[in-house]
Amino acid sequence: MKLSDPVVLGADGTVLQAPADWSFPPDLQTLVQNFQAGQELQAFLGSWRIYRLFDGSVLVVRDQQLQDHWNQFLQDLSQHTSEHEILQCTQKFLQEKLGFTVLDSPNSASRTFSVRLDDQRKKSWELQGEHWDVLPELATHLQKALERQHVFQRYLNALHYFQELQVSITDHLEWQDTLKLVLYYTREALQADAAIFFMWDEATQTLELIDTIGHLTPTDYGYRIGRNEGLAGVVLSRMKTQVIPNINPEDFPPDSREFLLREGFKSYVGTPLIVKGELLGILEVFQRDTLKPNAWWLSFFELLASHLAISVYQQALMRELRHTNQQLIRTYDATLEGWVRALDLRDRETEGHSKRVMESSLRLAKHMGLSGQALEHIRRGALLHDIGKLGIPDEILHKPGKLTTHEYEVIKQHPVWARNMLRDIEYLQRDLDIPYHHHEKWDGTGYPLGLKGEQIPLSARIFSVVDVWDAMTSDRPYRKGLPEAEVLSYIQEQSGTHFDPQVVQAFAELMGEV
């Protein structure tokens, strides 16, 4: 049973009310059976309360004070973005709300409560107390919070790697140094076992092994293969990223077969490095177990490959350095759009929303006289406005029915998560206003900070109007979009409460209304 689920049993023992898939812990079931057979009006077992109702039926519920503490704990847990904070919050709940004593070493009256942090680590508390029946459900929520934090940290690490890699390229490091960074970031950010880079030699029509990371056996640098040989040949035959989740060494010639068996590789992803239609090489990733990359994984892998390709191309064509830097910026922005597309793939209901509101926000901003870098910050901020939703669990984001109060509070955290993800990336410092403040309202009733009036950055005030317009006029799987005239009327009604009146006026002008 969940902590908040009551159960009502009839006088004859039939179940009158209960959640799906419910069951009593053995000790509680015994107490309930004895209670039904007796005459007492109430009984207690740890956090459980058992009451006899006027018609002879039996109500089994948790203690209300504990229920309140539990709900507050779940809300607090959802707001933490570091492993340390999550564990600290949990220990505080165990001690202050559940009344457990945390011991340094076990004794005859204590029990161990553990949660897995990752494949190599776990956190254990040696506890002495009475609310043991709460711990299984606590462990489930704690595990989900830790898993969410680990995914969040992985995204954050990837963004840091991306920033450092961009600095290495813009600082004009030798391409070999950039290559080493790419191989390292590929293995670390994507949790791969090994990575390899082959350089394409147009003159000999061969691939030359330049550098590797993660191999168990010595590497034969300078080794060459033809364009139709091995796994690399599969990539070159199609000139796009190839994923082979289960490698069969017997499908390859002797040299490749011996290499795969020696290293124990079972999964492969490879992508060609192409700049301006020119093949420069191949970046490969190997795994010693089954690899099933998702959209984000492939997006970041291709991002790393594109940066390596640019570095190689830059070294070969120094006379076109300015053009190459422009290509880098375009690659960066295309990558941001790639992250947004990955978010769209996760939330199909709003697919294409980020690009539409970005384009509309730019039109409105230009109409209001903004130009230059201000438009660039709006463009990137609008694209990234919902990036914080990566931290929302699927069961909440895709819930078909009405959200609970706790679930809605989790949803409201996505601007904070967006800020936490992006604030340490210097390139995006001035792009945070929209992701962080687009749910603020002119009258101060918005979130996360409750800013009021011109305390809200202008870019966020512009975006909030466009965001509501797109949400209400766009079709959803569960409804058709509303007529534009009706939505415009609603936005004008909300002028001075939800929206900045000057922005609403400019938006009406832009839409051909005065």
Side-chain angles (χ1 to χ4, degrees):
M1 289 175 58
K2 292 184 178 180
L3 195 66
S4 58
D5 293 332
V7 172
V8 179
L9 303 176
D12 59 355
T14 57
V15 178
L16 303 180
Q17 176 184 321
D21 301 326
W22 69 281
S23 63
F24 282 139
D27 52 350
L28 179 61
Q29 184 172 11
T30 299
L31 180 62
V32 169
Q33 291 173 344
N34 292 337
F35 183 80
Q36 286 180 304
Q39 299 297 321
E40 298 89 347
L41 296 180
Q42 61 182 7
F44 306 98
L45 178 65
S47 62
W48 292 102
R49 300 294 182 262
I50 307 173
Y51 302 99
R52 193 180 307 279
L53 305 182
F54 71 93
D55 60 354
S57 59
V58 174
L59 172 67
V60 183
V61 293
R62 293 279 192 178
D63 175 71
Q64 184 57 48
Q65 186 179 35
L66 176 62
Q67 180 66 53
D68 294 340
H69 291 327
W70 176 260
N71 291 336
Q72 184 62 49
F73 166 69
L74 293 182
Q75 183 175 339
D76 293 343
L77 197 65
S78 69
Q79 296 175 358
H80 295 304
T81 58
S82 77
E83 183 181 280
H84 174 74
E85 291 174 345
I86 291 172
L87 295 177
Q88 196 172 47
C89 175
T90 301
Q91 180 160 328
K92 182 178 179 181
F93 178 66
L94 287 168
Q95 292 178 295
E96 297 182 6
K97 304 305 180 184
L98 297 184
F100 281 108
T101 301
V102 178
L103 305 175
D104 294 329
S105 58
N107 61 35
S108 59
S110 68
R111 299 185 194 176
T112 302
F113 175 57
S114 299
V115 63
R116 181 176 57 83
L117 303 180
D118 53 40
D119 292 339
Q120 286 78 39
R121 301 178 302 131
K122 72 175 182 178
K123 170 64 178 177
S124 297
W125 290 275
E126 197 65 34
L127 303 176
Q128 186 171 321
E130 62 177 23
H131 290 306
W132 304 108
D133 50 311
V134 178
L135 297 188
E137 188 175 351
L138 174 62
T140 299
H141 285 279
L142 179 55
Q143 195 69 61
K144 288 181 178 179
L146 289 167
E147 290 170 358
R148 184 176 68 248
Q149 185 273 329
H150 292 159
V151 171
F152 218 71
Q153 188 63 45
R154 188 176 174 188
Y155 287 138
L156 193 59
N157 290 343
L159 288 170
H160 281 300
Y161 293 148
F162 178 77
Q163 182 185 28
E164 292 175 12
L165 184 58
Q166 182 183 344
V167 170
S168 77
I169 295 177
T170 55
D171 284 351
H172 314 312
L173 291 182
E174 293 293 326
W175 74 269
Q176 293 91 338
D177 296 326
T178 300
L179 170 60
K180 291 186 180 299
L181 286 175
V182 168
L183 294 176
Y184 173 77
Y185 295 155
T186 299
R187 187 175 68 168
E188 294 299 311
L190 302 180
Q191 300 179 352
D193 288 325
I196 302 175
F197 173 66
F198 281 96
M199 176 83 81
W200 174 248
D201 186 337
E202 183 67 25
T204 63
Q205 293 286 294
T206 59
L207 289 163
E208 180 184 0
L209 178 57
I210 302 299
D211 205 354
T212 69
I213 189 172
H215 283 69
L216 301 177
T217 56
T219 302
D220 186 10
Y221 296 109
Y223 174 75
R224 289 177 178 266
I225 59 174
R227 71 172 300 151
N228 297 319
E229 296 180 20
L231 292 161
V234 177
V235 175
L236 293 187
S237 68
R238 294 161 185 166
M239 281 299 179
K240 63 180 182 180
T241 301
Q242 297 297 308
V243 179
I244 303 178
N246 295 290
I247 302 172
N248 183 2
E250 299 304 320
D251 292 340
F252 298 93
D255 286 351
S256 297
R257 181 167 59 247
E258 191 274 333
F259 163 74
L260 294 170
L261 293 172
R262 183 177 73 239
E263 291 289 338
F265 293 139
K266 295 182 179 179
S267 299
Y268 169 88
V269 182
T271 192
L273 274 59
I274 301 174
V275 176
K276 286 190 168 184
E278 180 181 347
L279 176 64
L280 302 175
I282 289 182
L283 181 63
E284 301 179 313
V285 163
F286 288 90
Q287 196 79 5
R288 293 184 174 91
D289 54 20
T290 301
L291 177 64
K292 295 180 179 179
N294 57 23
W296 173 87
W297 194 104
L298 290 171
S299 174
F300 192 72
F301 175 60
E302 291 174 349
L303 162 67
L304 294 171
S306 70
H307 275 68
L308 178 57
I310 291 172
S311 180
V312 174
Y313 188 73
Q314 185 181 57
Q315 183 72 14
L317 302 172
M318 288 298 293
R319 66 182 180 272
E320 296 183 17
L321 179 59
R322 179 174 296 180
H323 176 76
T324 304
N325 285 338
Q326 292 171 349
Q327 177 77 8
L328 175 62
I329 293 173
R330 287 196 295 271
T331 301
Y332 191 104
D333 289 339
T335 299
L336 295 183
E337 293 182 11
W339 282 66
V340 172
R341 285 195 296 272
L343 184 61
D344 281 346
L345 288 172
R346 185 169 181 243
D347 190 1
R348 289 285 188 179
E349 289 187 2
T350 58
E351 187 171 359
H353 166 72
S354 295
K355 187 173 182 180
R356 292 194 303 273
V357 293
M358 179 268 288
E359 294 171 346
S360 299
S361 296
L362 289 176
R363 287 197 297 271
L364 179 55
K366 290 176 183 177
H367 182 74
M368 295 182 67
L370 278 69
S371 61
Q373 283 300 307
L375 294 178
E376 279 301 300
H377 297 314
I378 288 176
R379 185 179 67 81
R380 288 192 290 267
L383 277 175
L384 294 169
H385 76 279
D386 271 343
I387 197 71
K389 286 186 177 179
L390 289 170
I392 299 175
D394 285 343
E395 58 267 25
I396 296 179
L397 185 64
H398 298 146
K399 183 176 180 180
K402 184 178 179 181
L403 296 175
T404 65
T405 301
H406 164 64
E407 290 167 340
Y408 182 59
E409 290 299 322
V410 172
I411 291 284
K412 287 170 62 177
Q413 289 301 307
H414 78 269
V416 178
W417 291 336
R419 176 176 175 270
N420 291 342
M421 286 184 69
L422 304 175
R423 65 184 175 186
D424 294 328
I425 301 172
E426 185 176 352
Y427 185 79
L428 301 177
Q429 281 293 303
R430 298 184 64 187
D431 305 332
L432 288 175
D433 286 344
I434 291 177
Y436 192 36
H437 298 298
H438 69 284
H439 283 294
E440 302 287 0
K441 295 184 178 180
W442 182 256
D443 63 2
T445 61
Y447 63 87
L449 300 181
L451 300 182
K452 185 176 182 180
E454 294 187 358
Q455 293 176 331
I456 307 169
L458 177 59
S459 60
R461 284 180 268 149
I462 290 172
F463 179 84
S464 65
V465 172
V466 172
D467 191 33
V468 170
W469 169 268
D470 186 84
M472 295 180 70
T473 58
S474 298
D475 291 340
R476 293 286 188 266
Y478 49 85
R479 65 158 174 82
K480 296 290 289 182
L482 298 176
E484 292 186 355
E486 181 179 337
V487 177
L488 181 58
S489 176
Y490 169 81
I491 289 174
Q492 290 173 320
E493 290 172 2
Q494 293 295 310
S495 176
T497 54
H498 188 158
F499 305 118
D500 179 346
Q502 292 184 352
V503 176
V504 172
Q505 176 65 25
F507 183 75
E509 293 171 359
L510 189 64
M511 299 301 295
E513 301 281 341
V514 179

